[in-house]
Amino acid sequence: MYARRKLQLQFAKKTFHFIEEEIHRLTGEFKKLKTREIWEYLIPVRNHPLSIDLDLCTKQGFLGVFDITITESGFHNYLYRFLQEPNGLVGEPKPNLGLVEQILKQRNYPFQLMRKFLVLDGEPNEKFALPQVNQSSSFWEKRNWLRWIFPIWGVFSPIYMTVGLLFDLPLIPFLFLINGLLFLNYRKESLLYWKEIKALSTASVRFQKTFLFLSKNRKTTKSMLTNISKLGDSAELLVSPLPHLLLNLIFLWDLWKIQSLIKWKLKFSEDWNRMQNQIIGMDSILPFVNFGYIHPEANFPNLSNQKSLKADSLVHPMLPETNRVFNPLPEMKPGDLMIVTGSNMSGKTTYLRSIAMSLLLAGSGAPVLGKNFEQLDFQIHTLIRSQDSMEDGVSFFYSEVRRLSSIIQNADGSKKIPILFLDEILKGTNSKERFIATREILSVLREKNCIVFLTTHDLKLADIPWAKRFHFTELELDGKMDFDYKIRSGVSTSTNALKILKKEGIPIRSEAE
């Protein structure tokens, strides 16, 4: 009763903490969440262009804020699913993009599902292994003779030793010697089996609620978990070498436990592996389920029949509700170019990131903060924040050129429509060459049927004939700058760089002065 009560209290505390975190996500108080540091992510993830350009791995980035995965494989799959990249696993199944929507339609099921994935002994952001059962076993193949002898010998030895001690029978030291030699023969491999037993037993206890919640046959699942858990309790004796040695010298103890594991595998391995795959798959989409659950106003996108990209309204998912400004996404078809101009801090880059983040959510099977979002089969590329490298001798400009070259090459032969987000590209060169280079790059991307979103302060680029022109601007209220972050048609006619400099106390002389 005490043990059950203790578990109930632990589960209640964990649930309470989870609800607190949900409130922080809902209200946009992301700084109160214990998220990962950038260096704690996998190197390919934190160095991915999308992670860098969209701030995905920062303390308040999407990947950390909405990460509620608990398994190592589920976390890995979640990261790569959001980045629209294969996770590198052999035989990787194609993700079911409709599963998040199916779960969210089941009223209270999403919350119950997320609670069942709580781990009582886990620290924030800690991930746990959920191993797969290896059905093949070569232990008896190498010792086929021992397989048939040990059940008889393992019973005869302790009986003879007991009787021998009572009646002073001979050969007891000889039996110890034989069992000791046998133990030395299988000791190395038996440790590997004990390691497997311990891993499966730990996982069965840690994920018990999850197994039972997702199981269609609770009786079989409970029997599977109980049996491996009991077998795992025996592994505690390995901590003390002397009792472990004595048990093998008397009973051939390891052989009995290996035999029990093999029998358990024959009976339950298929059920375990099936549920293990189900749990990891479900775990990897929990962040997207959670995002949709705390944002019931979000809508699932539709696949466009016209092979176009558009939305009546969109907003960046990481903006607090009080700061959200929804903007439309005009219809964009393969080969289209949108040039967005505007003054500093007016919302140009945030607009590009809002579209990119919405595409990543849509591509992950999650809902989008907006209305009537239509997408096509796409491959997303961004060039918003280039980085130089002193170590590699790469300048800021050359870093951008290499990224652009890679994007253009990847567009060749792609079955998906490349969608590019370019923010003030080629900033590291003079204005004349920048204009010529940007114009030619945009022409090449048009030929490759790419959809391109470009922000720029160079108004000359807005003269490109096939471009769709939009802009953001600032407003003057009582002599002060104010921004409504609303997108407008046409080219921006206002600038505010000098005003911002003066506001910050930097002396700027007028032309007359």
Side-chain angles (χ1 to χ4, degrees):
M1 287 176 64
Y2 172 78
R4 284 199 302 270
R5 183 60 175 163
K6 185 178 179 181
L7 286 175
Q8 289 171 353
L9 287 172
Q10 286 179 323
F11 191 63
K13 289 178 180 178
K14 201 77 175 179
T15 302
F16 180 76
H17 178 67
F18 174 68
I19 293 172
E20 279 188 319
E21 289 188 327
E22 288 290 88
I23 293 171
H24 296 328
R25 293 185 182 100
L26 181 62
T27 57
E29 297 176 291
F30 303 139
K31 291 183 179 180
K32 294 183 178 180
L33 295 170
K34 293 182 180 180
T35 55
R36 288 173 171 256
E37 300 288 348
I38 291 179
W39 56 266
E40 293 182 281
Y41 289 92
L42 301 168
I43 292 176
V45 172
R46 67 173 182 256
N47 289 341
H48 195 284
L50 293 178
S51 297
I52 295 170
D53 289 342
L54 302 177
D55 296 322
L56 298 180
C57 295
T58 59
K59 290 285 287 180
Q60 282 81 51
F62 183 92
L63 291 178
V65 167
F66 284 96
D67 173 31
I68 57 170
T69 59
I70 57 170
T71 66
E72 293 171 350
S73 298
F75 177 62
H76 185 273
N77 293 349
Y78 155 63
L79 297 177
Y80 282 90
R81 178 169 177 152
F82 191 71
L83 293 173
Q84 315 291 304
E85 296 282 357
N87 62 17
L89 298 177
V90 178
E92 173 196 356
K94 188 175 181 181
N96 182 358
L97 297 182
L99 186 56
V100 176
E101 185 174 8
Q102 293 173 20
I103 292 171
L104 288 171
K105 284 181 178 178
Q106 299 180 50
R107 204 172 180 183
N108 292 326
Y109 182 78
F111 182 70
Q112 295 300 327
L113 175 65
M114 291 183 286
R115 284 180 71 241
K116 297 303 178 184
F117 272 76
L118 295 175
V119 175
L120 302 184
D121 57 349
E123 297 295 325
N125 301 313
E126 188 176 0
K127 310 302 175 189
F128 301 95
L130 180 55
Q132 192 169 52
V133 174
N134 183 10
Q135 294 175 315
S136 62
S137 177
S138 60
F139 185 83
W140 294 124
E141 293 175 5
K142 298 177 182 178
R143 305 172 180 82
N144 198 38
W145 58 274
L146 186 59
R147 180 179 186 178
W148 305 109
I149 293 175
F150 101 85
I152 300 171
W153 188 255
V155 173
F156 171 75
S157 291
I159 294 175
Y160 185 88
M161 290 177 185
T162 303
V163 175
L165 289 172
L166 293 174
F167 299 100
D168 197 22
L169 296 179
L171 301 178
I172 292 179
F174 181 68
L175 290 179
F176 273 110
L177 177 63
I178 292 176
N179 290 349
L181 292 173
L182 288 174
F183 181 53
L184 290 175
N185 176 264
Y186 62 72
R187 167 68 171 166
K188 188 175 181 180
E189 282 190 66
S190 71
L191 286 176
L192 297 177
Y193 280 88
W194 278 117
K195 187 177 180 180
E196 184 180 6
I197 289 171
K198 186 64 177 176
L200 291 170
S201 173
T202 302
S204 71
V205 174
R206 182 170 283 150
F207 299 102
Q208 181 183 18
K209 286 182 178 293
T210 311
F211 270 104
L212 293 174
F213 185 73
L214 296 177
S215 175
K216 294 181 179 178
N217 188 337
R218 290 175 64 90
K219 186 177 180 180
T220 301
T221 303
K222 197 167 185 178
S223 175
M224 173 183 73
L225 298 174
T226 302
N227 290 349
I228 193 64
S229 178
K230 287 180 179 179
L231 191 57
D233 291 341
S234 305
E236 299 300 328
L237 286 170
L238 269 69
V239 178
S240 304
L242 184 59
H244 184 224
L245 175 63
L246 290 174
L247 285 168
N248 279 279
L249 292 178
I250 299 172
F251 299 101
L252 301 178
W253 191 62
D254 282 11
L255 297 182
W256 291 106
K257 297 303 177 181
I258 291 171
Q259 181 76 343
S260 298
L261 175 64
I262 292 172
K263 288 181 179 179
W264 181 88
K265 285 184 176 183
L266 289 172
K267 186 174 182 180
F268 296 113
S269 61
E270 290 186 5
D271 293 329
W272 177 282
N273 289 340
R274 185 183 66 255
M275 293 210 67
Q276 183 249 15
N277 288 328
Q278 184 182 359
I279 289 172
I280 289 176
M282 194 69 73
D283 188 40
S284 68
I285 66 168
L286 278 182
F288 307 116
V289 172
N290 194 20
F291 177 80
Y293 185 72
I294 66 176
H295 292 109
E297 73 279 10
N299 298 289
F300 284 90
N302 299 313
L303 192 63
S304 173
N305 296 325
Q306 306 298 323
K307 290 189 176 181
S308 63
L309 180 67
K310 64 178 181 179
D312 290 347
S313 63
L314 284 177
V315 74
H316 198 290
M318 302 309 292
L319 287 173
E321 189 172 356
T322 54
N323 296 338
R324 290 178 192 164
V325 177
F326 287 83
N327 277 302
L329 170 60
E331 186 175 27
M332 299 286 289
K333 294 185 176 182
D336 281 353
L337 163 67
M338 178 191 290
I339 292 182
V340 183
T341 57
S343 51
N344 295 290
M345 305 189 303
S346 58
K348 302 187 302 299
T349 305
T350 301
Y351 179 66
L352 260 61
R353 286 176 170 160
S354 299
I355 302 170
M357 288 293 292
S358 298
L359 282 168
L360 291 178
L361 284 168
S364 303
V368 173
L369 287 176
K371 294 181 180 179
N372 298 325
F373 182 74
E374 291 190 13
Q375 62 164 342
L376 64 172
D377 199 12
F378 66 90
Q379 178 66 49
I380 186 172
H381 302 278
T382 59
L383 184 51
I384 295 175
R385 183 182 291 143
S386 295
Q387 295 179 321
D388 57 357
S389 173
M390 292 179 64
E391 182 180 351
D392 298 330
V394 177
S395 69
F396 184 86
F397 175 74
Y398 189 54
S399 173
E400 279 193 304
V401 171
R402 289 203 307 187
R403 285 273 301 277
L404 283 167
S405 175
S406 174
I407 291 170
I408 291 172
Q409 291 173 19
N410 288 335
D412 288 326
S414 177
K415 295 180 181 179
K416 298 181 178 181
I417 300 298
I419 301 179
L420 280 67
F421 297 89
L422 311 175
D423 183 36
E424 295 287 347
I425 61 170
L426 304 180
K427 294 183 283 288
T429 188
N430 63 77
S431 58
K432 181 179 179 181
E433 288 185 312
R434 180 170 66 246
F435 171 74
I436 295 172
T438 304
R439 182 193 63 198
E440 295 307 305
I441 289 169
L442 294 176
S443 297
V444 171
L445 293 173
R446 188 189 186 197
E447 292 173 3
K448 296 180 182 295
N449 276 333
C450 300
I451 296 176
V452 180
F453 295 89
L454 171 70
T455 66
T456 183
H457 285 285
D458 191 347
L459 301 184
K460 192 176 179 182
L461 283 173
D463 294 334
I464 293 177
W466 69 87
K468 297 181 178 180
R469 303 165 187 84
F470 294 88
H471 74 279
F472 290 85
T473 189
E474 79 277 2
L475 306 173
E476 285 280 351
L477 290 177
D478 299 326
K480 297 181 180 180
M481 287 185 298
D482 188 48
F483 301 95
D484 62 2
Y485 306 111
K486 288 287 187 180
I487 195 168
R488 296 169 171 81
S489 298
V491 181
S492 173
T493 58
S494 65
T495 58
N496 64 2
L498 298 181
K499 295 176 184 177
I500 293 172
L501 289 169
K502 288 181 179 179
K503 182 181 177 182
E504 293 302 316
I506 298 175
I508 302 295
R509 291 182 297 175
S510 66
E511 288 296 321
E513 292 172 318

